[in-house]
Amino acid sequence: REEKEAFRKIMRRMARFSGVEILTYCLMDNHFHILTRVPCREKFLRRFDEREGEPLGSGEERLLEHLTILYSKAYVDQVRQELAWMREHKMDADAAKFIDKYKRRFCNLSLFVKEVKERFSRWYNKKHERKGTLWMDRFKSVLVENGEALRTMAAYIDLNPVRAGLVNDPMDYRWCGYAEAAAGSKQARRGLCRVMEKPIDSWSDPSQES
């Protein structure tokens, strides 16, 4: 249980950082499924653009604030100092490359999954005093269209523990998106509302229920 809870926290945190939206998921003992929506990268990056009427550097400051989702304040302060040093020494091109290494990780499904697996592996290895990888194979991804195909995929994922004979109702398996939504998680409910093509947060609105 502790391992699955740690994985879920890492997965949610990485999703917030990378911009990947988790629609639903299921964590089993030896594998996991995640149904995601990857937003337009160009649109996502606009939040870090300079805006008219704001002080110079406000966009970059928003990016640094975004880094605190994943990194400590001390780490982000160090990044800020390194950028200031580069600009002081007329190394603007190097500063741009330095910033870009973070931006490249946004809205990238492969990097999202890779980092989730790596971060969980580090946590697991430290806890169990071991070394090495936990997953030998590269993850497999399938592109799913909106509508019935998306709903079918979401149901397939949430019903994994039922097919495995662990529970009779996915609501009773706490490490899947449906159970998390049923327990009151707003982010889990938003994901499933998007799958069902319902207004965001309509889960808790009785007038939206069929």
Side-chain angles (χ1 to χ4, degrees), residues 58 131 149:
S58 294
K131 296 181 179 179

Side-chain angles (χ1 to χ4, degrees), residues 11-20 44 66 69 187:
M11 175 187 71
R12 287 293 189 191
R13 195 175 180 189
M14 277 305 310
R16 285 180 58 211
F17 174 79
S18 67
V20 172
F44 183 85
H66 186 81
I69 294 173
Q187 56 188 350

Side-chain angles (χ1 to χ4, degrees), residues 7 10-22 24-25 27 31-38 104-122 134-135 137-142:
F7 187 99
I10 291 170
M11 175 187 71
R12 287 293 189 191
R13 195 175 180 189
M14 277 305 310
R16 285 180 58 211
F17 174 79
S18 67
V20 172
E21 181 182 359
I22 296 174
T24 195
Y25 67 91
L27 313 179
H31 68 283
F32 61 88
H33 299 275
I34 308 177
L35 182 62
T36 65
R37 173 183 172 272
V38 182
R104 283 199 304 267
R105 295 160 64 189
F106 299 150
C107 305
N108 186 313
L109 180 60
S110 294
L111 288 180
F112 163 71
V113 176
K114 180 176 181 287
E115 289 202 59
V116 168
K117 291 165 68 175
E118 287 178 348
R119 286 175 176 271
F120 178 73
S121 294
R122 288 198 295 269
L134 299 180
W135 292 276
D137 298 329
R138 185 183 182 277
F139 84 100
K140 298 179 178 64
S141 61
V142 177

Side-chain angles (χ1 to χ4, degrees), residues 59-130:
E60 184 173 296
E61 193 56 40
R62 280 192 294 275
L63 174 63
L64 294 173
E65 180 63 26
H66 186 81
L67 296 186
T68 62
I69 294 173
L70 207 58
Y71 298 101
S72 67
K73 183 179 182 298
Y75 177 91
V76 175
D77 285 342
Q78 183 179 346
V79 170
R80 186 180 284 107
Q81 291 168 14
E82 289 185 37
L83 287 169
W85 185 89
M86 289 179 192
R87 293 196 172 106
E88 182 182 348
H89 291 79
K90 311 299 182 183
M91 300 168 62
D92 291 346
D94 293 286
K97 290 180 181 178
F98 189 71
I99 291 172
D100 191 57
K101 76 175 185 179
Y102 294 105
K103 290 184 175 181
R104 283 199 304 267
R105 295 160 64 189
F106 299 150
C107 305
N108 186 313
L109 180 60
S110 294
L111 288 180
F112 163 71
V113 176
K114 180 176 181 287
E115 289 202 59
V116 168
K117 291 165 68 175
E118 287 178 348
R119 286 175 176 271
F120 178 73
S121 294
R122 288 198 295 269
W123 177 89
Y124 187 91
N125 287 344
K126 182 177 180 181
K127 176 178 173 56
H128 295 279
E129 298 181 342
R130 67 180 296 276

